[in-house]
Amino acid sequence: MWLHNEKEITDASQFPCGAFGFVYKIVHRPSGKQYIGRKQILSNRTLPPLKGAKRKRKVQKESDWKTYTSSSNMINDYISKNGKDGILFEILYLVKGGKFELKYCEMKEQVLKNCLFDDKSMNGIINVRLGKKKNIVF
């Protein structure tokens, strides 16, 4: 169950129009430990052309965000053993841009929360690869 502004979100239609993904915080209530990550709501897929057509098809597909727990093995192991009781899944930011903006917002939140040096943080690394847009002409 994902919470955003203290409201439960169960369907993609509850997100504002154009939302691409979100930055989230998982809090283990008994210990107060937390994890900050990101998740895409939509993914763009390129499919082969239909029979007789020449252009590839572009399709947007909804991700597994409803059942997603984390990319952290530590959190996923805990949930598989103990269930989701006592764990809060909270959406911090909705991102409308794309992958670049989503990755940047996640990294910014991790740095601002001092994840690598805080004992209550379960983030082991801040791993991000960002680059400029390719369509810059000189």
Side-chain angles (χ1 to χ4, degrees), residues 27-91:
V27 180
H28 183 249
R29 288 184 183 166
S31 67
K33 292 193 174 210
Q34 62 184 6
Y35 178 85
I36 295 173
R38 65 180 153 82
K39 182 65 181 165
Q40 284 184 219
I41 300 167
L42 301 172
S43 65
N44 297 321
R45 306 248 174 179
T46 303
L47 302 175
L50 293 171
K51 187 175 181 182
K54 293 183 179 181
R55 291 187 184 187
K56 294 180 181 180
R57 298 175 286 155
K58 305 245 181 206
V59 181
Q60 273 195 337
K61 183 180 175 190
E62 189 174 326
S63 71
D64 63 342
W65 68 271
K66 294 177 191 175
T67 57
Y68 184 75
T69 51
S70 176
S71 61
S72 168
N73 292 333
M74 182 183 0
I75 293 173
N76 289 329
D77 291 343
Y78 179 86
I79 289 173
S80 65
K81 291 177 186 173
N82 304 314
K84 294 183 181 180
D85 292 335
I87 296 179
L88 174 67
F89 296 90
E90 182 181 1
I91 296 172

Side-chain angles (χ1 to χ4, degrees), residues 100-112:
F100 178 88
E101 288 86 355
L102 186 60
K103 290 177 182 181
Y104 181 81
C105 287
E106 176 199 22
M107 178 200 62
K108 181 179 174 184
E109 187 66 22
Q110 289 172 339
V111 170
L112 290 174

